[in-house]
Amino acid sequence: MDQYYLYILALHIIFVVCWMAGLFYIVRLFIYHTEANSRPELERDILQKQFVIMEKKLWYIITVPAMVLTVLAGLSMIATRPGLLYAPWLHVKLTFVLFLLIYHFLCQRIMKRMEQGIFKLSSTQLRLWNELATILLVAIVFTVVLKSAIDWLYGLAGLVIFAMVLMIAVKLYKNYRKKKEIE
């Protein structure tokens, strides 16, 4: 039983890495897709058609299957070790995973809107949106590794600081890009 659990755990980690790579890259594509709006018409049309193709392939060939396999592997781990359901840290992790699933489906909605030519978020807003996945990933990893309520308090404080640092970095990068455009 334990041997199967470790194989499932290894697969779970691999699928999470693939899922996160897809989530990180899809939002990067959204940023480029949005920025293509400022290009001359011919260039914009070519770029936007290409981004729609790239986004769909990334989403349906990598990101969605990786998400499904991540969830199935996670459920298999719980089925193999049902006692995990009594671990308070798992409830915290599953809450963060729920937020990550919501994030996933919101990304899908953004992708479908962009395909229709609806751009509701600026490239800066999308950069901030991209950092939300990073924050959730950090929260999930620290919850799984630390597993202690006291450590959660430190982890939460660290997460808030980490989120603030990421937001500042996005703003600094935006200012840097504006400065480069002027030069």
Side-chain angles (χ1 to χ4, degrees), residues 129-170:
W129 177 250
N130 200 30
E131 300 312 326
L132 183 56
T134 304
I135 292 166
L136 289 169
L137 175 63
V138 169
I140 291 167
V141 170
F142 272 90
T143 300
V144 170
V145 171
L146 298 178
K147 293 183 176 89
S148 161
I150 296 297
D151 290 332
W152 290 343
L153 294 176
Y154 291 121
L156 183 59
L159 189 61
V160 169
I161 292 168
F162 179 68
M164 290 179 0
V165 168
L166 283 175
M167 299 307 152
I168 291 168
V170 168

Side-chain angles (χ1 to χ4, degrees), residues 57-70:
K57 286 184 177 185
L58 172 65
W59 195 252
Y60 293 111
I61 295 172
I62 296 171
T63 312
V64 170
M67 180 268 301
V68 169
L69 292 169
T70 297

Side-chain angles (χ1 to χ4, degrees), residues 7-86:
Y7 283 111
I8 297 168
L9 175 60
L11 289 171
H12 182 67
I13 293 169
I14 292 165
F15 298 145
V16 167
V17 169
C18 295
W19 183 24
M20 293 307 301
L23 288 175
F24 289 145
Y25 191 48
I26 194 74
V27 180
R28 178 58 47 193
L29 288 175
F30 294 163
I31 292 166
Y32 298 147
H33 194 158
T34 298
E35 289 176 348
N37 284 324
S38 64
R39 300 293 197 190
E41 186 178 354
L42 179 61
E43 187 179 348
R44 181 187 65 231
D45 291 346
I46 292 168
L47 285 170
Q48 289 188 340
K49 286 177 186 171
Q50 185 60 42
F51 284 127
V52 166
I53 292 167
M54 292 169 70
E55 289 161 359
K56 279 184 171 182
K57 286 184 177 185
L58 172 65
W59 195 252
Y60 293 111
I61 295 172
I62 296 171
T63 312
V64 170
M67 180 268 301
V68 169
L69 292 169
T70 297
V71 170
L72 290 175
L75 292 172
S76 297
M77 287 167 36
I78 291 170
T80 304
R81 286 193 179 169
L84 285 171
L85 288 173
Y86 298 104

